[in-house]
Amino acid sequence: ADRVTTIALAVCIVLSGAEPIIQAGHCDFDVEPLFPGYFWDTSCQEGMSGCNADQKNMECRFCGGGNYSAPCPPTSCHFPNEPFVPYYWDPDCKMGMLGCWADGIHAQCRFCGEHPFTGVPCPDKLLAPPNKGTCTFLDNEPTTPYYWDANCTMGMLGCNADGIHDQCRFCGKDVYVDIPCPASEVCGFANEPMTPYFWDPECAMGKLGCMA
């Protein structure tokens, strides 16, 4: 008999206090709140701070600021298209600080770790980009860097790089130089370094920091 194994991975950032339980669910606000953040917390009960945030679902919970001490997971950021730059909820973020306002909605939603946000360290535990797939090159591994872009569609520059998956995308070199490469996908370290790094299309042998 066929066997189907489903693996569900839920990772959340815990900045302080007890770790909330997070699983699929959707708050239903009549008007999207700009502050504080919110998320779906299955541990919510009547009387717990921030629960029933949308006045419709007990599991809908305010977090990350104001009168609500529950830490916000990265899912409190709301992007129209999921980015490939890492992000997290930073309650100290303000407009004008590097990486803040990442989703264009919440000032506390912050990019980190990847160029040009290498100066913003990511928390140790971070939500992995969803819809992650793997490029499949049947012949030779290309010299042009590539990554998985869930937003790629046939006809967009660099997409369908492996000739199989539309989401497989060339980046950072030659005609694809204007497509930024996510360093976490194109740099290959045996052991992840402590020093921040990014993909620099202008790097050359002998330049400081290149061939990291």
Side-chain angles (χ1 to χ4, degrees):
D2 293 336
R3 184 177 64 181
V4 178
T5 303
T6 303
I7 301 175
L9 175 61
V11 183
C12 67
I13 298 172
V14 180
L15 301 180
S16 63
E19 181 173 346
I21 300 171
I22 300 173
Q23 73 178 38
H26 301 283
C27 295
D28 183 18
F29 289 97
D30 293 329
V31 178
E32 174 86 5
L34 299 181
F35 182 83
Y38 62 88
F39 68 105
W40 192 266
D41 184 356
T42 58
S43 70
C44 258
Q45 298 177 9
E46 185 73 41
M48 289 176 61
S49 175
C51 295
N52 197 31
D54 61 2
Q55 299 298 306
K56 300 173 185 177
N57 301 284
M58 183 60 64
E59 297 87 353
C60 183
R61 189 175 192 180
F62 282 131
C63 61
N67 297 322
Y68 308 104
S69 59
C72 285
T75 52
S76 296
C77 299
H78 301 129
F79 293 91
N81 296 299
E82 188 68 22
F84 277 83
V85 176
Y87 60 91
Y88 70 106
W89 187 275
D90 183 351
D92 297 320
C93 241
K94 297 177 182 177
M95 178 65 83
M97 293 172 60
L98 183 63
C100 297
W101 214 275
D103 62 358
I105 301 173
H106 306 98
Q108 296 78 17
C109 186
R110 191 172 200 179
F111 285 130
C112 63
E114 295 278 7
H115 181 70
F117 310 106
T118 50
V120 181
C122 292
D124 291 337
K125 293 183 179 179
L126 196 59
L127 185 72
N131 304 319
K132 182 68 174 69
T134 302
C135 296
T136 305
F137 291 92
L138 299 178
D139 296 322
N140 298 316
E141 185 74 10
T143 57
T144 302
Y146 59 88
Y147 70 105
W148 189 270
D149 183 351
N151 299 313
C152 244
T153 57
M154 182 65 77
M156 291 173 59
L157 182 63
C159 297
N160 196 36
D162 60 2
I164 301 174
H165 306 97
D166 289 353
Q167 297 86 356
C168 183
R169 191 173 199 180
F170 285 130
C171 62
K173 187 178 180 181
D174 300 329
V175 296
Y176 312 108
V177 69
D178 291 331
I179 302 172
C181 293
S184 59
E185 293 197 45
V186 295
C187 295
F189 292 95
N191 296 296
E192 189 70 15
M194 298 295 293
T195 303
Y197 60 91
F198 66 98
W199 185 269
D200 184 353
E202 298 180 359
C203 249
M205 184 67 76
K207 293 180 67 174
L208 184 65
C210 296
M211 289 292 290

